[in-house]
Amino acid sequence: MLELRTCTLDELEMPLVEPFETSFGVERRRRFLIVRLESTQGDVGLGECVAARDPLYSGESVTTARWMIETYLAPLLWREGLLSPSEFSRRAAAWRGNPMAKAAVELALWDLWARRHHRSLAEELGGRRRRIEVGVSVGIQPDVPALVRRVGEYLEAGYGRIKIKVRPGWDVQPVAALRREFPDLRLWVDANQAYPPSAGSEIRRWAGRYGVDQVEQPFPEHALAAHARLVRGAPFRVCLDESILDLPTLEAALGMRALTSLNVKAGRVGGLGAGRDLARAAAGRALPAWVGGMLETGIGRAHNVALASLAPFTFPADLSASDRYYAPDLVEPPFVLGPRSTLAVPRGPGIGVEIVESVYRRHLRRHRELRRKTP
């Protein structure tokens, strides 16, 4: 039985390559919590918490996640040897909520177990793809010409699918401009819950007129009835993200016919195991799923790429190249956009990338090492 030697919690802060604006606000710097688990045999696993500095996107933050791990989740790992990822998730379910904190530990466990078995994380999860198709997510820009220029640069770089953030007042004009400039553009939009439930007819009108392929989470997370109304007769896919927390919420949304595609963010729903379960359940109902990102460094990106290698994920993932968000990133080798808008799935042990220590230390802001308490 493996035993845990240490659980290290590091907070890092890194500047984004460019500001990323959504309906929740603008991020210029990103605060991260990195979980590092080391067994008594010397195996190491890394996990990244996707909670932000402030509880805006979700009720969790870096501070609450760190407290949850220190107080409950790390002590759980000291008991009766080192838990497998699935057993950890089963036992951690005793505490309500906190899926981002739970996911950070679960991700580190997956990395550790895959390394222990001398397998890649993709193989450990059951993934078979060597490369995954990806797209790029573009934040709200200062003006429409800036958006058109930015999208043109991403298309020139080789991205085959573009998703832009929208909100009331930043929707019709940017979408229309992109369609005029790039008639064949594969275009998705993501509102992050910005519209009131009464806005369905308006969204259907402009998204249909300008050939939007998918509208993601236009209404508040609990407004399943509004999403269901939008689905009816829509010439585009209606994707849910924040509304889906677990299998019961997915079943409720499916029962109401409130979605026609699913965004799975492992760091948001409790981990890789939960993300895999959601994708399998969606596939069982012929619902396309795809892997979303949350501005992760290369650590979290490696976990997401491994998840996207699984068969149930059929749409392009929001997992662009390393230089999209951070320059330099925390890991090597970096993720590089390849042919046909794809990223290679790492084949080395675990997540298949290693920390660049000089970059890691430069951005480290807080460090704490937890150890088993001895009698």
Side-chain angles (χ1 to χ4, degrees):
M1 174 69 72
L2 290 174
E3 292 185 353
L4 186 66
R5 174 183 291 146
T6 60
C7 172
T8 302
L9 303 179
D10 285 339
E11 285 187 38
L12 295 86
E13 185 170 283
M14 297 178 66
L16 290 159
V17 168
E18 62 182 13
F20 192 77
E21 183 173 353
T22 72
S23 59
F24 288 110
V26 183
E27 287 197 76
R28 293 179 173 83
R29 303 182 66 85
R30 183 79 170 166
R31 191 84 171 190
F32 299 98
L33 179 65
I34 304 297
V35 178
R36 183 181 186 274
L37 302 179
E38 183 179 356
S39 74
T40 53
Q41 288 81 6
D43 299 300
V44 173
L46 298 171
E48 180 174 332
C49 182
V50 299
R53 180 197 302 271
D54 302 310
L56 298 173
Y57 176 83
S58 79
E60 291 182 83
S61 68
V62 169
T63 301
T64 65
R66 187 183 66 246
W67 177 86
M68 183 68 187
I69 295 170
E70 291 174 346
T71 307
Y72 293 104
L73 303 180
L76 177 63
L77 296 176
W78 306 129
R79 305 171 195 165
E80 300 179 9
L82 190 59
L83 299 173
S84 68
S86 58
E87 183 64 15
F88 166 79
S89 295
R90 189 184 71 80
R91 297 196 187 190
W95 298 295
R96 294 182 181 274
N98 301 282
M100 293 179 177
K102 293 174 181 176
V105 177
E106 192 251 22
L107 294 172
L109 283 170
W110 273 109
D111 184 25
L112 189 153
W113 279 78
R115 290 177 188 269
R116 178 66 178 172
H117 298 150
H118 307 289
R119 304 177 70 189
S120 71
L121 177 57
E123 291 173 314
E124 195 76 4
L125 288 168
R128 296 184 178 276
R129 295 188 180 108
R130 293 281 180 167
R131 304 192 69 89
I132 62 163
E133 186 181 2
V134 300
V136 66
S137 180
V138 184
I140 294 170
Q141 300 293 301
D143 51 47
V144 171
L147 173 67
V148 172
R149 286 194 301 272
R150 200 73 185 97
V151 169
E153 290 168 355
Y154 285 128
L155 293 174
E156 182 68 22
Y159 287 102
R161 189 271 291 154
I162 303 291
K163 184 177 85 174
I164 67 167
K165 298 292 185 176
V166 295
R167 66 185 177 200
W170 178 262
D171 44 29
V172 179
Q173 289 186 336
V175 168
L178 289 176
R179 185 54 69 203
R180 284 194 300 270
E181 187 70 21
F182 311 108
D184 299 323
L185 177 64
R186 188 177 184 183
L187 178 62
W188 295 0
V189 300
D190 180 12
N192 293 115
Q193 311 181 59
Y195 293 87
S198 59
S201 297
E202 175 190 350
I203 293 171
R204 187 183 288 108
R205 185 163 50 250
W206 59 257
R209 177 179 180 182
Y210 295 111
V212 172
D213 294 319
Q214 178 165 275
V215 175
E216 182 178 350
Q217 197 71 50
F219 309 125
E221 60 185 276
H222 299 301
L224 291 182
H227 286 101
R229 289 193 296 271
L230 183 61
V231 165
R232 292 196 289 270
F236 46 79
R237 296 233 178 227
V238 176
C239 177
L240 290 186
D241 177 5
E242 294 96 328
S243 292
I244 308 304
L245 307 174
D246 48 27
L247 288 173
T249 52
L250 176 59
E251 287 300 325
L254 287 168
M256 295 182 66
R257 299 182 180 179
L259 74 167
T260 45
S261 76
L262 175 65
N263 180 353
V264 176
K265 293 174 178 172
R268 186 182 66 78
V269 299
L272 294 168
R276 182 175 60 182
D277 290 345
L278 285 169
R280 287 173 173 172
R285 301 285 287 273
L287 181 75
W290 54 285
V291 174
M294 296 189 66
L295 306 181
E296 291 96 338
T297 70
I299 296 171
R301 191 176 311 275
H303 283 94
N304 289 336
V305 168
L307 181 64
S309 72
L310 274 65
F313 293 102
T314 54
F315 277 10
D318 262 351
L319 304 175
S320 42
S322 294
D323 61 5
R324 165 68 180 90
Y325 296 115
Y326 305 103
D329 202 347
L330 289 180
V331 303
E332 58 182 14
F335 289 94
V336 178
L337 189 68
R340 297 180 297 281
S341 190
T342 60
L343 296 180
V345 179
R347 308 310 297 179
I351 58 176
V353 296
E354 301 296 335
I355 286 175
V356 180
E357 292 294 342
S358 60
V359 178
Y360 195 90
R361 288 194 300 271
R362 186 188 318 154
H363 297 290
L364 183 63
R365 299 293 179 266
R366 181 171 179 171
H367 171 84
R368 186 179 181 190
E369 186 177 277
L370 307 174
R371 289 180 175 269
R372 181 196 297 270
K373 293 181 180 180
T374 57

